[in-house]
Amino acid sequence: MIRVSTKFDRPAPELVERLGAYSSATIHEAQGRLGALDSTIKPVDHSMSVCGPAFTVQCAPRDNLMLQTAIAYARPGDVIVVSAGAYREAGSFGDVLANACQAKEIAGLVTDTGVRDTEDLRALGFPVFSYSVCIKGTVKETVGPMCEPVTVGGQLVRPGDVIRADADGVVVVRREDAAEVAVASQERVDAEEGYISAYRAGSTVIDICKLTPLLAAKGLVIDEE
């Protein structure tokens, strides 16, 4: 017998909403270049974007029994995060399960295996971020952990950690760090807006980024006409 619990702490909805205002790249940089899932995990459509607490599940390769179980127990706003062994040759999720997720108001799916029915997924607008696209079907044989820490895309994801995913990729924010990362993300946005204003006013990248001493230390000499 394998006993699982679906009880875990989720961050406050307003905190999730705050983080959702920032891009995955901004959050990654703001938290010290941490938390980025492997770049092979990409959205099936570049317009897809999601931010929410992770509802984690472990699946065997080419087996979506536990994924379907997770869909049954995830709450509205959750992002289902599937660890399935980084296996490309399986289509473990498609339009039927996406409709099941939408009916429950699940926010999105991140998986290190394949999905299919991508044209229908785009039409539905359900955010799906996957390792691959594959038409090969799966079985329903293996039970496993749910709502426990999993490794996906080279990152440890715990239930309740915040997942932010968009056109550029996926980043995970530890639940206890979410408020601090939200503040740091806004600071980064403010700084970048300052850089852009300075560039438009005529400053150069060399000036703004203070590259002169660095380039000199590395021995770069530029002859200007």
Side-chain angles (χ1 to χ4, degrees), residues 2 18 20 108 114 117 138 216:
I2 298 177
R18 282 176 63 193
D117 306 325
T138 56

Side-chain angles (χ1 to χ4, degrees), residues 2 56-70 81-93 111-114 131 136-146 150-152:
I2 298 177
T56 59
V57 63
Q58 183 83 45
C59 294
R62 294 194 66 187
D63 191 321
N64 74 350
L65 175 60
M66 291 308 298
L67 168 55
Q68 296 204 23
T69 305
V81 178
V82 183
S83 176
Y87 187 79
R88 284 184 175 275
E89 296 301 314
S92 64
F93 183 91
T111 179
D112 68 353
T113 189
Y131 181 39
K136 297 177 183 178
T138 56
V139 299
K140 298 171 182 63
E141 296 287 347
T142 309
V143 297
M146 188 168 66
V150 296
T151 300
V152 178

Side-chain angles (χ1 to χ4, degrees), residues 19-117:
L19 282 170
Y22 307 109
S23 71
S24 60
T26 293
I27 291 172
H28 170 60
E29 294 285 351
Q31 64 178 356
R33 297 186 176 179
L34 300 173
L37 273 62
D38 193 282
S39 62
T40 53
I41 298 178
K42 286 288 192 288
V44 299
D45 186 271
H46 286 301
S47 67
M48 291 177 173
S49 178
V50 69
C51 187
F55 187 102
T56 59
V57 63
Q58 183 83 45
C59 294
R62 294 194 66 187
D63 191 321
N64 74 350
L65 175 60
M66 291 308 298
L67 168 55
Q68 296 204 23
T69 305
I71 293 170
Y73 286 95
R75 295 182 185 177
D78 285 348
V79 177
I80 296 178
V81 178
V82 183
S83 176
Y87 187 79
R88 284 184 175 275
E89 296 301 314
S92 64
F93 183 91
D95 64 324
V96 174
L97 291 182
N99 274 280
C101 288
Q102 284 190 324
K104 291 200 63 181
E105 299 182 351
I106 293 168
L109 174 87
V110 174
T111 179
D112 68 353
T113 189
V115 300
R116 60 186 184 182
D117 306 325

